[in-house]
Amino acid sequence: MTTTLHTEPDIILKVENLEAEFSSDEGIIKVLKGVDFEVKAGKTLGLVGESGCGKSVTSMSVLGLLPQPYGRVTKGKVIYRDTDLLTLSEEQRYTIRGNHISIIFQDPMTALNPVHSIGKQLNEVLALHRPDLKKKERYRYAVEMLDKVRIPQPEKRLNEYPHNLSGGMRQRVMIAMALACKPDILICDEPTTALDVTVQASILDLMLDLQEETGMAMIFITHDLGVVAEICDDVAVMYDGKIVEYADVFSLFDHPQHPYTEKLLSLVPGLDKPPKQMIDIKPYHPE
Ligand SMILES: Nc1ncnc2c1ncn2[C@@H]1O[C@H](COP(=O)(O)OP(=O)(O)OP(=O)(O)O)[C@@H](O)[C@H]1O
Ligand SMILES: [Mg+2]
């Protein structure tokens, strides 16, 4: 019997030299200035960096969701399983978004429709992306999904509206929707920052369990290096539209290579410096 040895898990997504810009009244603003990173199948990549460095623009560029007509990708490749997503038609990309790569955002209230019940919204997602399911099966699947994200009394919740749910419950609904189509990759853009710390912890636990169960990869965008330490396998540190450091999570925490990474690490209470560092947060400026 022959065995194939894989020293590295498969790379499922490869972003190469990605550049993106916005047009504004003041001219063109270059936001991504050559972003490179890889996501391994079944693993979690943390994308960290200060506010405004381009993390959300990166995720929107990967999915072809930059606001039109002001935003555009000007250079680079987004290779998903041997296909450069940037060369696909809008229709083809729509299919990828629904069925292969999903995204959840920071504030579920903006993503959920306040006038429709949770059940109706889950049903719509399933009708779009799971045409194989009949109406009754969709209902059953929706109940199963809510149960999976540990929402108690799922049948009852299907008849409720987003405002009836707590922030944590709404985020669980968003996760259920994002996972309904069994994506290969889930992009999470600060999905827990709007939640209080204990709810945050339970959502992170849930996501780790779901990842183990489904084998999906995740790109986890966050400010919080504590979260990174807990759930990420690899980390890409972003500064001013570029990845300035990319490493596995242990190397990054043990031997940060870039001064900006050191700065970020020094701001995490209890990691390597006492919390008093927190009172001295200055923006990082490279020499
Ligand atoms: N629709 C837009 N039009 C013009 N500029 C934009 C637009 N969206 C984002 N930008 C600019 O792109 C840059 C990167 O924004 P982005 O939202 O990706 O930052 P971020 O790293 O996600 O920050 P945060 O941590 O605050 O979410 C910012 O300078 C922002 O002003
Ligand atoms: Mg953002």
Side-chain angles (χ1 to χ4, degrees), residues 16-126:
E16 278 179 19
N17 199 22
L18 192 65
E19 297 189 6
E21 61 186 32
F22 288 100
S23 308
S24 76
D25 292 344
E26 282 111 58
I28 292 197
I29 308 162
K30 222 169 166 44
V31 175
L32 303 186
K33 302 171 180 173
V35 170
D36 295 279
F37 61 82
E38 294 173 347
V39 182
K40 295 168 190 156
K43 302 284 179 187
T44 301
L45 172 74
L47 185 57
V48 298
E50 67 189 3
S51 187
C53 71
K55 304 182 296 293
S56 296
V57 170
T58 300
S59 64
M60 289 189 278
S61 302
V62 165
L63 286 169
L65 289 174
L66 283 180
Q68 295 299 317
Y70 311 105
R72 65 196 155 264
V73 170
T74 50
K75 206 172 166 187
K77 290 186 179 146
V78 176
I79 302 163
Y80 167 70
R81 292 186 181 279
D82 301 328
T83 306
D84 182 359
L85 300 185
L86 300 179
T87 63
L88 299 182
S89 67
E90 186 40 43
E91 201 177 42
Q92 289 168 316
R93 262 204 256 185
Y94 182 83
T95 310
I96 293 277
R97 278 203 295 275
N99 300 329
H100 303 280
I101 309 179
S102 281
I103 184 161
I104 48 178
F105 296 101
Q106 176 175 0
D107 180 6
M109 214 44 196
T110 55
L112 289 169
N113 187 331
V115 303
H116 293 316
S117 69
I118 300 300
K120 186 172 160 102
Q121 297 186 60
L122 263 172
N123 188 54
E124 266 171 17
V125 172
L126 291 172

Side-chain angles (χ1 to χ4, degrees), residues 187-251:
I187 302 180
C188 310
D189 194 346
E190 315 223 25
T192 59
T193 27
L195 305 171
D196 73 51
V197 180
T198 48
V199 180
Q200 203 174 55
S202 70
I203 297 272
L204 289 180
D205 273 353
L206 169 69
M207 299 192 71
L208 282 179
D209 288 351
L210 291 171
Q211 182 179 37
E212 197 162 304
E213 191 185 318
T214 61
M216 68 185 172
M218 293 201 281
I219 300 177
F220 206 94
I221 298 178
T222 179
H223 285 101
D224 189 337
L225 283 178
V227 170
V228 167
E230 213 163 301
I231 71 161
C232 295
D233 300 288
D234 297 296
V235 191
V237 180
M238 194 163 189
Y239 180 77
D240 189 24
K242 282 195 286 275
I243 303 298
V244 293
E245 183 158 1
Y246 178 89
D248 72 84
V249 69
F250 297 107
S251 313

